[in-house]
Amino acid sequence: MRTMKAVVFKGTNRIAVEEVPRPTPGIGEAVIKITTTTICGTDVHIVRGEYPVAPGLILGHEPVGIIDQLGAGLEGLYRTGQRVIVGAITPCGQCFYCLNGVHSQCGGGIGGWRFGNTINGAWAEYLLVPDARANLAPIPTGLADEDVVLCPDIFSTGLSGAESGNIRVGDAVAVFAQGPIGLCATAGAKLKGASLIIGIDSNSRRLDMARRLGANVTINLNDEDPVVQIKRLTDGRGVDVAIEALGRQETFENALRSIRPGGTLSSLGVYSGKLIAPYEAFYAGLGDQKIVTTLCPGGKERMRRLMAMVEHRRVDLGPLVTHRFALDDIEEAFDVFSHQRDGVLKVALYPDSAHPATTRDAVGMSAGDDQC
Ligand SMILES: [Zn+2]
Ligand SMILES: [Zn+2]
């Protein structure tokens, strides 16, 4: 039996690099050799035991790779050796939900999210891709792995916050939290034509990055009350759209307080427990507000569109990849990412430990503040 290296979830706060069986593709499936992947905030929730997955599962849902094997039924559509990405969400394209246009809910609630959730994920040398015909997205010539590694999840999710918020040209938009997803939501607000984009966070470096990606104004939570400032910036009305990109009661509430009557709260955060909408911010339920939630859109057509935006330089996500590690060093990478050490935004992980980007000299930003 052929084996491969993979990062396996062993239980709360335990992950390990292990040799496991290499997958082989069935009908309509493909196996890709992972060349680059990354860590997501959702992986942190999983490892900390805040989002349950089965012990023994290979984690990770952001794959960039090369087609290694194609199962039956894909003849003439793809070829081995082709460079591809696969969305974090892998819709089947056939079921009730897919055919009703809610691909991320494929098969039922949150069902489109399979990698590192219900099936083995991308923190491995090889990855089995289900419904390959709907999900393998060829990488445009000229783009490097790191140019597209944020497309499977972070860029797709962040942008979807702006899309689901139905931002119109000239809208005022506030984006609560400027982690990687919030930063991509900020970039998305700009792409959708917002005039005033307000980025909110407590980390001044992240606010600097928010300005780089499209925010005209930033609010540091350590210095200012965001709701007061947002009202001041919008003639007392509030923004047309607020995007919540953290998943906490406080940010949800602030986002709700920040929108004008008839405005939209577009929520991207992953919440735990109960959410409360305060009476006055909710206008007793009579404010004509819209609250929308979105799970990362996936599928090959979504990936094609996102990579086209990168290819044609409508967005530059390069600065978000701040650190690089070999997959073997996942524990160190996870520590840096999960504690936001060293100015980290996203880490690139390379299963090939000889990859030049994983040598010490190539590691990104220098030491900085520890947000732990
Ligand atoms: Zn994710
Ligand atoms: Zn489906």
Side-chain angles (χ1 to χ4, degrees):
M1 185 181 60
R2 291 195 298 177
T3 63
M4 65 172 184
K5 185 170 60 185
V7 179
V8 176
F9 176 66
K10 307 298 284 180
T12 301
N13 291 322
R14 285 187 301 137
I15 48 175
V17 180
E18 293 185 348
E19 278 297 317
V20 301
R22 223 167 110 170
T24 48
I27 296 167
E29 297 173 338
V31 169
I32 65 172
K33 184 181 198 299
I34 299 289
T35 50
T36 307
T37 182
T38 177
I39 305 175
C40 175
T42 308
D43 298 314
V44 177
H45 287 297
I46 291 172
V47 172
R48 288 179 177 164
E50 295 156 4
Y51 181 96
V53 303
L57 191 76
I58 300 169
L59 300 182
H61 52 259
E62 297 163 277
V64 182
I66 298 165
I67 297 176
D68 183 66
Q69 284 188 77
L70 291 164
L74 298 166
E75 300 81 2
L77 295 169
Y78 297 98
R79 55 181 169 73
T80 55
Q82 208 171 0
R83 293 176 66 228
V84 291
I85 64 170
V86 184
I89 304 300
T90 49
C92 74
Q94 320 266 345
C95 71
F96 171 90
Y97 291 95
C98 285
L99 294 174
N100 274 291
V102 276
H103 306 98
S104 299
Q105 309 301 324
C106 174
I110 324 180
W113 173 30
R114 297 187 173 87
F115 290 141
N117 180 25
T118 55
I119 65 173
N120 281 332
W123 293 356
E125 288 179 290
Y126 295 89
L127 172 73
L128 182 72
V129 179
D131 302 302
R133 188 172 184 172
N135 288 297
L136 292 177
I139 299 171
T141 313
L143 293 186
D145 280 18
E146 285 190 18
D147 295 331
V148 296
V149 70
L150 303 190
C151 293
D153 183 358
I154 301 305
F155 182 32
S156 188
T157 303
L159 175 61
S160 77
E163 292 169 314
S164 296
N166 198 19
I167 291 174
R168 297 186 305 159
V169 170
D171 271 353
V173 175
V175 182
F176 282 85
Q178 296 292 321
I181 287 180
L183 287 166
C184 287
T186 298
K190 185 178 176 193
L191 290 170
K192 291 282 287 175
S195 52
L196 173 65
I197 303 173
I198 306 164
I200 300 130
D201 204 285
S202 56
N203 180 325
S204 58
R205 272 192 192 181
R206 292 184 169 205
L207 293 174
D208 290 342
M209 190 62 79
R211 283 191 289 273
R212 197 164 159 182
L213 288 175
N216 330 77
V217 180
T218 53
I219 296 174
N220 190 321
L221 292 168
N222 295 323
D223 306 331
E224 294 173 300
D225 179 328
V227 179
V228 170
Q229 290 305 320
I230 286 167
K231 291 277 165 79
R232 189 181 63 75
L233 289 161
T234 53
D235 295 332
R237 284 194 301 267
V239 287
D240 301 290
V241 180
I243 299 174
E244 202 283 356
L246 192 61
R248 299 218 179 116
Q249 174 67 34
E250 190 191 355
T251 39
F252 177 82
E253 212 171 301
N254 278 338
L256 191 63
R257 290 182 198 282
S258 300
I259 58 172
R260 62 168 170 80
T264 300
L265 192 175
S266 177
S267 175
L268 295 173
V270 181
Y271 303 92
S272 39
K274 221 187 261 185
L275 261 188
I276 296 166
Y279 181 84
E280 74 288 357
F282 197 48
Y283 298 95
L286 304 174
D288 283 327
Q289 297 145 311
K290 288 173 276 299
I291 299 176
V292 292
T293 67
T294 315
L295 173 59
C296 172
K300 69 179 179 187
E301 171 55 12
R302 174 72 170 181
M303 294 301 113
R304 185 197 66 76
R305 287 173 176 272
L306 299 183
M307 288 191 287
M309 295 302 280
V310 176
E311 182 187 14
H312 298 296
R313 299 173 192 266
R314 293 291 178 192
V315 65
D316 179 13
L317 305 173
L320 299 191
V321 180
T322 53
H323 292 63
R324 289 151 189 95
F325 293 92
L327 189 64
D328 285 323
D329 298 324
I330 183 73
E331 300 226 25
E332 186 188 351
F334 192 85
D335 178 69
V336 167
F337 180 78
S338 63
H339 293 103
Q340 295 181 20
R341 295 191 207 284
D342 196 18
V344 70
L345 285 169
K346 288 290 276 186
V347 304
L349 293 174
Y350 293 93
D352 176 2
S353 49
H355 192 285
T358 61
T359 58
R360 282 283 149 191
D361 301 345
V363 169
M365 291 168 73
S366 55
D369 54 343
D370 180 354
Q371 292 292 317
C372 183

Coordinates of all heavy atoms in Angstrom, one line a residue, residues 39-77:
I39 N -3.4 27.6 6.6 CA -4.2 27.3 7.8 C -5.3 28.4 7.8 O -5.1 29.6 7.6 CB -3.4 27.4 9.1 CG1 -2.2 26.5 9.0 CG2 -4.2 27.2 10.3 CD1 -1.2 26.6 10.2
C40 N -6.5 28.0 8.2 CA -7.7 28.9 8.3 C -8.1 29.1 9.8 O -7.8 28.2 10.6 CB -8.8 28.3 7.5 SG -10.4 29.2 7.7
G41 N -8.7 30.2 10.1 CA -9.2 30.4 11.5 C -10.2 29.2 11.9 O -10.2 28.8 13.1
T42 N -10.9 28.7 10.9 CA -11.8 27.5 11.2 C -11.0 26.3 11.7 O -11.4 25.6 12.6 CB -12.6 27.2 10.0 OG1 -13.2 28.4 9.5 CG2 -13.7 26.2 10.3
D43 N -9.8 26.1 11.2 CA -8.9 25.0 11.6 C -8.6 25.2 13.1 O -8.4 24.2 13.8 CB -7.7 24.9 10.8 CG -8.0 24.6 9.3 OD1 -8.8 23.7 9.0 OD2 -7.4 25.3 8.4
V44 N -8.4 26.5 13.5 CA -8.1 26.8 14.9 C -9.3 26.3 15.8 O -9.1 25.7 16.8 CB -7.7 28.2 15.1 CG1 -7.5 28.5 16.6 CG2 -6.5 28.6 14.2
H45 N -10.5 26.7 15.3 CA -11.7 26.3 16.1 C -11.7 24.7 16.2 O -12.1 24.2 17.2 CB -12.9 26.7 15.4 CG -13.2 28.2 15.5 ND1 -13.4 28.8 16.7 CD2 -13.3 29.2 14.5 CE1 -13.6 30.1 16.5 NE2 -13.5 30.4 15.2
I46 N -11.4 24.1 15.1 CA -11.4 22.6 15.1 C -10.4 22.0 16.1 O -10.8 21.2 16.9 CB -11.2 22.0 13.7 CG1 -12.4 22.4 12.8 CG2 -10.9 20.5 13.7 CD1 -12.1 22.0 11.3
V47 N -9.2 22.5 16.0 CA -8.1 21.9 16.8 C -8.4 22.2 18.3 O -8.2 21.4 19.2 CB -6.7 22.5 16.4 CG1 -5.7 22.0 17.4 CG2 -6.4 22.0 15.0
R48 N -9.0 23.4 18.6 CA -9.3 23.7 20.0 C -10.6 23.0 20.5 O -11.0 23.2 21.6 CB -9.5 25.2 20.1 CG -8.2 26.0 20.0 CD -8.4 27.5 20.1 NE -7.1 28.1 20.1 CZ -7.0 29.4 19.9 NH1 -8.0 30.2 19.6 NH2 -5.8 30.0 19.9
G49 N -11.2 22.2 19.6 CA -12.4 21.5 20.0 C -13.7 22.3 20.0 O -14.7 21.9 20.6
E50 N -13.6 23.5 19.4 CA -14.8 24.3 19.4 C -15.7 24.0 18.2 O -16.9 24.5 18.2 CB -14.4 25.8 19.3 CG -13.6 26.3 20.5 CD -12.7 27.5 20.3 OE1 -12.7 28.0 19.2 OE2 -12.0 27.8 21.2
Y51 N -15.2 23.3 17.2 CA -16.1 22.8 16.1 C -15.7 21.3 16.0 O -14.6 21.0 15.7 CB -15.8 23.6 14.8 CG -16.6 23.1 13.7 CD1 -17.8 23.8 13.3 CD2 -16.2 22.0 12.9 CE1 -18.6 23.3 12.3 CE2 -17.0 21.5 11.9 CZ -18.2 22.2 11.6 OH -19.0 21.8 10.5
P52 N -16.7 20.4 16.2 CA -16.3 19.0 16.3 C -16.1 18.3 14.9 O -16.9 18.5 14.0 CB -17.6 18.4 17.0 CG -18.7 19.3 16.6 CD -18.1 20.7 16.4
V53 N -15.0 17.6 14.8 CA -14.7 16.7 13.7 C -14.2 15.4 14.3 O -13.7 15.4 15.4 CB -13.7 17.3 12.6 CG1 -14.2 18.6 12.1 CG2 -12.3 17.3 13.2
A54 N -14.2 14.4 13.5 CA -13.8 13.0 14.0 C -12.3 12.9 14.2 O -11.6 13.3 13.2 CB -14.3 11.9 13.1
P55 N -11.8 12.4 15.3 CA -10.4 12.2 15.4 C -10.0 11.2 14.3 O -10.7 10.3 13.9 CB -10.3 11.5 16.8 CG -11.5 12.0 17.6 CD -12.6 12.1 16.5
G56 N -8.8 11.4 13.8 CA -8.3 10.6 12.7 C -8.4 11.3 11.4 O -7.8 10.9 10.3
L57 N -9.2 12.4 11.3 CA -9.4 13.1 10.1 C -8.2 13.9 9.7 O -7.5 14.5 10.6 CB -10.6 14.1 10.3 CG -11.1 14.7 9.0 CD1 -11.9 13.7 8.2 CD2 -12.0 15.9 9.3
I58 N -7.9 14.0 8.4 CA -6.8 14.9 7.9 C -7.5 16.3 7.8 O -8.5 16.4 7.1 CB -6.3 14.4 6.6 CG1 -5.6 13.0 6.7 CG2 -5.2 15.4 6.0 CD1 -5.3 12.4 5.4
L59 N -6.9 17.3 8.4 CA -7.5 18.6 8.4 C -7.0 19.4 7.1 O -6.2 19.0 6.3 CB -7.1 19.4 9.6 CG -7.5 18.8 11.0 CD1 -7.1 19.6 12.1 CD2 -9.0 18.5 11.0
G60 N -7.6 20.7 7.0 CA -7.2 21.6 5.9 C -8.2 21.6 4.8 O -8.6 20.6 4.4
H61 N -8.5 22.8 4.3 CA -9.5 22.9 3.3 C -9.2 23.9 2.2 O -10.0 24.5 1.6 CB -10.9 23.2 3.9 CG -10.9 24.3 4.8 ND1 -10.9 24.2 6.2 CD2 -11.0 25.6 4.6 CE1 -11.0 25.4 6.8 NE2 -11.0 26.3 5.8
E62 N -7.8 24.2 2.0 CA -7.4 25.2 1.0 C -6.3 24.7 0.1 O -5.2 24.9 0.3 CB -7.0 26.5 1.8 CG -8.1 27.0 2.6 CD -7.7 28.0 3.7 OE1 -7.4 27.5 4.8 OE2 -7.7 29.2 3.5
P63 N -6.8 23.8 -0.9 CA -5.8 23.1 -1.7 C -5.3 23.8 -3.0 O -6.1 24.3 -3.7 CB -6.5 21.8 -2.0 CG -8.0 22.1 -1.9 CD -8.1 23.4 -1.1
V64 N -4.0 23.8 -3.2 CA -3.4 24.2 -4.5 C -2.5 23.0 -4.8 O -1.8 22.5 -4.0 CB -2.5 25.4 -4.4 CG1 -1.9 25.8 -5.7 CG2 -3.3 26.6 -3.8
G65 N -2.7 22.5 -6.1 CA -1.9 21.3 -6.4 C -1.8 21.0 -7.9 O -2.1 21.8 -8.7
I66 N -1.4 19.7 -8.1 CA -1.2 19.2 -9.5 C -2.1 17.9 -9.6 O -2.0 17.1 -8.7 CB 0.2 18.9 -9.8 CG1 1.1 20.2 -9.7 CG2 0.4 18.2 -11.1 CD1 2.6 19.9 -9.5
I67 N -2.8 17.8 -10.7 CA -3.6 16.6 -10.9 C -2.7 15.4 -11.0 O -1.8 15.3 -11.8 CB -4.5 16.6 -12.1 CG1 -5.6 17.8 -11.9 CG2 -5.3 15.3 -12.3 CD1 -6.5 18.0 -13.1
D68 N -2.9 14.4 -10.1 CA -2.0 13.2 -10.0 C -2.7 12.0 -10.7 O -2.1 11.3 -11.4 CB -1.7 12.9 -8.6 CG -0.7 11.8 -8.4 OD1 0.4 11.9 -8.9 OD2 -1.1 10.7 -7.8
Q69 N -4.0 11.8 -10.3 CA -4.7 10.7 -10.9 C -6.2 11.1 -11.2 O -6.8 11.9 -10.3 CB -4.8 9.6 -9.9 CG -3.5 8.8 -9.7 CD -3.9 7.5 -8.9 OE1 -4.4 6.6 -9.3 NE2 -3.5 7.6 -7.6
L70 N -6.7 10.7 -12.3 CA -8.1 11.0 -12.6 C -8.9 9.7 -12.6 O -8.5 8.7 -13.2 CB -8.2 11.6 -14.0 CG -7.6 13.0 -14.1 CD1 -7.4 13.4 -15.5 CD2 -8.5 14.1 -13.4
G71 N -10.1 9.7 -11.9 CA -11.0 8.6 -11.9 C -11.7 8.5 -13.2 O -11.7 9.4 -14.0
A72 N -12.5 7.4 -13.4 CA -13.3 7.2 -14.6 C -14.3 8.3 -14.7 O -14.8 8.9 -13.7 CB -14.0 5.9 -14.6
G73 N -14.6 8.7 -16.0 CA -15.6 9.7 -16.2 C -15.1 11.1 -16.4 O -15.9 12.1 -16.6
L74 N -13.8 11.3 -16.3 CA -13.2 12.6 -16.4 C -12.3 12.7 -17.7 O -11.6 13.7 -17.9 CB -12.4 13.0 -15.2 CG -13.2 13.0 -13.9 CD1 -12.2 13.0 -12.7 CD2 -14.1 14.3 -13.9
E75 N -12.4 11.7 -18.5 CA -11.6 11.7 -19.7 C -11.9 12.9 -20.6 O -13.1 13.2 -20.8 CB -11.9 10.4 -20.6 CG -11.6 9.1 -19.8 CD -12.7 8.6 -18.9 OE1 -13.7 9.3 -18.8 OE2 -12.5 7.6 -18.2
G76 N -10.9 13.5 -21.1 CA -11.0 14.6 -22.0 C -11.3 15.9 -21.3 O -11.4 17.0 -22.0
L77 N -11.6 15.9 -20.0 CA -11.9 17.2 -19.3 C -10.7 17.8 -18.6 O -10.5 19.0 -18.5 CB -13.0 16.9 -18.2 CG -14.3 16.4 -18.8 CD1 -15.2 15.9 -17.7 CD2 -15.0 17.6 -19.5

